[in-house]
Amino acid sequence: MKDDKRLFIAMQKSGRLTDKTIELLNKCGLDLEPGKRELIFSSKKFPVDIMLVRDDDIPEYVYDGVCDLGVVGLNVLEETVLRQNGSMEPGIPVIRKLNYGYCRLSLAIPEKENYDGPQYFNNKSIATSYPKLLKKFLEQNKIKAKIIELKGSVEIAPALDIADCICDLVSTGSTLKANNLKEAVTILESQSVVIQCPKLDIKEKLDLVNRLLTRLDGVIKADQTKYIMMNANKNSLEKIKSLLPGMGNPSIMNLANSKDGIAIHAVCRENIFWETIE
Ligand code: PRT
Ligand code: ZN
């Protein structure tokens, strides 16, 4: 797979980030159609090859230069770098945040407990799949607690008396609720990110990285905006503009056969658009 004229990108083989990552890259003009069996496949429309792996292996593949880029959750990246105990310093550059795969690594405690600040965790046992990030948080807050490392199903540890509380990823919070737990404090905000091999120095590849990033930026920006068209009375224009602060500079056209009618075309930030329409 060593080809200086193609980018080699690692991404999750099957999991929460897989479909969104393929979808995003295809919106950037790639034509990725992962088969059921291949672990490596190519885009014909853009010089990119994809390697499908477990998300936990992505930071190391990218750090070692097996792949040029990787798409992974910030949570996995940060935990892996800490786990390598300084040997990955100065780290693996995050070159884009991708606006999906949002979650947070949080400490959660039994619903009936009172949370009065990080000192709550003194002398507690905490189950987690993120022991390094948790250890860092505990040290920063001068808390002495016992870390119990579990590979999965962390949320059932308190009910099984394996631990007093947990430190796990949360997105909607429904898993915590279903297990009679509540979020106490967030220690990391995460989303899907693009990471780059720190040693990447081949000009052709760096040029491809820049081209891909330009496309990614366009797609991400387009996802966050709407093109709106409306007809209105000329006298309402200023009021409409003040209601749509994300509208930027609209194009205004006179309507045919109408004295006061205008057409307004504008690009609008999507969240502002929906809030305003409501
Ligand atoms: O097999 P592989 O090792 O590749 O996959 P994996 O099982 O380790 O990871 P996967 O596919 O579950 O998640 C991949 C990435 O998605 C994570 O590393 C995060 O960056 C991101 N992500 C976003 C999440 C969640 N949201 C999420 N909610 N990862 C896990 N969860 C789990 C969480 O662990 C908990 O069990 O969902 C549950 C909580 O969800 P809510 O909605 O009930 O709060
Ligand atoms: Zn994993």
Side-chain angles (χ1 to χ4, degrees), residues 9-23 25 32 34-35 38-41 50-59 61-62 67 69-76 98 100-101 103 130 169 191-193 195:
I9 305 179
M11 58 166 275
Q12 193 183 25
K13 179 173 182 289
S14 90
R16 287 169 195 265
L17 302 183
T18 308
D19 291 349
K20 286 252 181 183
T21 305
I22 300 269
E23 189 188 325
L25 291 173
L32 303 173
E38 300 102 306
L39 294 183
I40 294 178
F41 61 101
I50 302 283
M51 180 164 81
L52 297 175
V53 289
R54 283 199 56 198
D55 66 348
D56 313 71
D57 298 331
I58 293 173
Y61 281 134
V62 172
C67 296
L69 301 181
V71 178
V72 70
L74 197 59
N75 51 305
V76 171
L98 295 177
Y100 63 87
C103 57
Y130 293 85
L169 298 176
Q191 61 176 286
S192 181
V193 297
I195 53 177

Side-chain angles (χ1 to χ4, degrees), residues 235-250:
N235 300 326
S236 313
L237 181 59
E238 286 314 310
K239 205 167 173 193
I240 291 170
K241 275 186 168 172
S242 71
L243 279 173
L244 289 170
M247 185 154 83
N249 291 323

Side-chain angles (χ1 to χ4, degrees), residues 47-245:
V48 157
D49 302 306
I50 302 283
M51 180 164 81
L52 297 175
V53 289
R54 283 199 56 198
D55 66 348
D56 313 71
D57 298 331
I58 293 173
E60 272 165 272
Y61 281 134
V62 172
Y63 182 78
D64 293 340
V66 175
C67 296
D68 306 309
L69 301 181
V71 178
V72 70
L74 197 59
N75 51 305
V76 171
L77 174 67
E78 303 242 320
E79 179 72 15
T80 312
V81 170
L82 288 175
R83 204 182 283 268
Q84 296 300 322
N85 210 6
S87 70
M88 277 184 175
E89 291 306 330
I92 308 176
V94 169
I95 57 170
R96 259 334 163 265
K97 295 182 171 175
L98 295 177
N99 280 333
Y100 63 87
Y102 280 107
C103 57
R104 49 201 188 272
L105 184 64
S106 290
L107 280 150
I109 63 175
E111 229 156 27
K112 56 180 188 327
E113 294 275 306
N114 260 334
Y115 181 69
D116 54 0
Q119 292 309 319
Y120 169 92
F121 295 102
N122 255 323
N123 303 316
K124 295 276 196 299
S125 56
I126 310 169
T128 189
S129 309
Y130 293 85
K132 300 295 175 189
L133 281 165
L134 175 58
K135 182 164 174 263
K136 187 174 161 193
F137 172 84
L138 295 174
E139 282 172 2
Q140 279 170 349
N141 287 279
K142 301 191 174 50
I143 297 163
K144 287 214 175 339
K146 185 174 174 198
I147 299 175
I148 297 169
E149 185 173 353
L150 298 178
K151 292 277 177 243
S153 306
V154 169
E155 64 276 2
I156 57 171
L160 297 177
D161 274 339
I162 296 171
D164 300 315
C165 25
I166 68 167
C167 173
D168 199 10
L169 298 176
V170 182
S171 73
T172 61
S174 52
T175 303
L176 291 183
K177 220 176 166 65
N179 288 279
N180 300 318
L181 299 168
K182 64 180 177 189
E183 209 169 342
V185 58
T186 293
I187 68 177
L188 178 80
E189 297 279 357
S190 182
Q191 61 176 286
S192 181
V193 297
V194 183
I195 53 177
Q196 179 174 329
C197 174
K199 294 172 286 208
L200 186 65
D201 60 357
I202 299 165
K203 178 161 184 322
E204 286 98 329
K205 287 196 186 239
L206 290 169
D207 287 346
L208 285 174
V209 172
N210 279 332
R211 279 178 63 197
L212 186 61
L213 289 182
T214 305
R215 293 184 183 198
L216 278 172
D217 290 343
V219 171
I220 292 169
K221 199 162 176 204
D223 274 350
Q224 291 170 340
T225 52
K226 277 204 161 11
Y227 188 74
I228 58 171
M229 295 181 272
M230 68 177 101
N231 291 348
N233 188 295
K234 197 150 60 183
N235 300 326
S236 313
L237 181 59
E238 286 314 310
K239 205 167 173 193
I240 291 170
K241 275 186 168 172
S242 71
L243 279 173
L244 289 170

